[in-house]
Amino acid sequence: MTVYENKYLGDRFYMSVETMHLPDRGGTENANNLGKEELGKLNMETIDVSDSCEVKMEKGYDPSRFKSLKTGRGPFVPGYYKTADPVMTCYKVVRLKFKVPMLQSSIEKWGQSSGMRSPFISFHRKLICWMDEWAGWSIEDIRKYEAETATIVREKLAQGGTGTGAARKSTSKSSSKSSS
């Protein structure tokens, strides 16, 4: 789980993103094991990262034009996840609290409906286009990279930076499914 906080807003702002990756095509009903009440409030959305109509493609990060040299996979045209093999779905649950009078409702609705959608799409497009860098990594390789990235981000934050550009990782309710 990734938790975002703001020291200026203190306990008036809280956002978390809970992620589960499964080898399926987005058909798992309760991938994040939510309770009955939370599940009832869920707004499930499917995001196809190769579809360019919602978020503009960044130069060099268009999955519909990418072909992996290592795996031979791609290009990832809209709807690719319906027939691709192997395929993985990234299930995300976003929880957002913004306790600021007169803004709370608007900000929470925005954050849960569209606020995280663009960053999710952008990041997963890049992840696909970086495939040749990570294809073949073991779980140990992944954990080592995560630890190194966490160290870089902590150091940047300690220096007063935002952590942006430090590494290629970030580590009512909205849930998104992104297949890659």
Side-chain angles (χ1 to χ4, degrees):
M1 179 180 317
T2 303
V3 176
Y4 300 89
E5 296 173 323
N6 181 299
K7 68 180 181 179
Y8 301 107
L9 293 172
D11 65 355
R12 294 181 298 163
F13 173 82
Y14 173 87
M15 184 171 72
S16 67
V17 180
E18 185 178 330
T19 304
M20 175 63 70
H21 297 89
L22 295 176
D24 68 15
R25 298 183 192 288
T28 301
E29 289 297 318
N30 189 5
N32 296 81
N33 297 313
L34 303 176
K36 197 176 217 177
E37 183 180 335
E38 242 184 336
L39 197 57
K41 296 177 183 177
L42 192 68
N43 175 27
M44 182 69 78
E45 300 178 44
T46 300
I47 298 172
D48 182 346
V49 295
S50 62
D51 187 347
S52 64
C53 62
E54 190 171 334
V55 175
K56 184 180 175 187
M57 293 287 183
E58 292 180 54
K59 186 177 179 180
Y61 297 111
D62 183 348
S64 68
R65 295 174 184 235
F66 171 77
K67 182 156 177 94
S68 169
L69 299 175
K70 275 189 176 179
T71 69
R73 297 185 73 201
F76 297 84
V77 296
Y80 71 92
Y81 61 91
K82 295 174 184 173
T83 57
D85 188 38
V87 69
M88 176 186 71
T89 298
C90 176
Y91 294 88
K92 294 188 175 287
V93 175
V94 177
R95 292 179 181 91
L96 174 63
K97 292 179 187 173
F98 188 78
K99 297 178 183 179
V100 176
M102 300 189 325
L103 295 175
Q104 180 173 353
S105 180
S106 297
I107 296 295
E108 287 180 352
K109 284 179 187 174
W110 170 83
Q112 294 171 4
S113 64
S114 59
M116 292 303 293
R117 195 172 175 84
S118 292
F120 287 158
I121 291 170
S122 178
F123 174 76
H124 285 90
R125 283 177 179 164
K126 289 176 182 176
L127 195 58
I128 288 171
C129 294
W130 292 330
M131 184 180 299
D132 287 341
E133 294 181 34
W134 55 259
W137 281 13
S138 67
I139 193 67
E140 291 80 20
D141 295 332
I142 294 167
R143 297 291 180 246
K144 179 180 175 191
Y145 183 76
E146 287 176 337
E148 290 169 357
T149 300
T151 299
I152 291 168
V153 170
R154 276 194 303 274
E155 288 171 357
K156 285 278 188 185
L157 291 173
Q159 295 169 4
T162 62
T164 58
R168 290 189 187 157
K169 182 181 178 290
S170 69
T171 49
S172 155
K173 171 185 324 158
S174 176
S175 177
S176 301
K177 298 185 292 187
S178 173
S179 296
S180 29

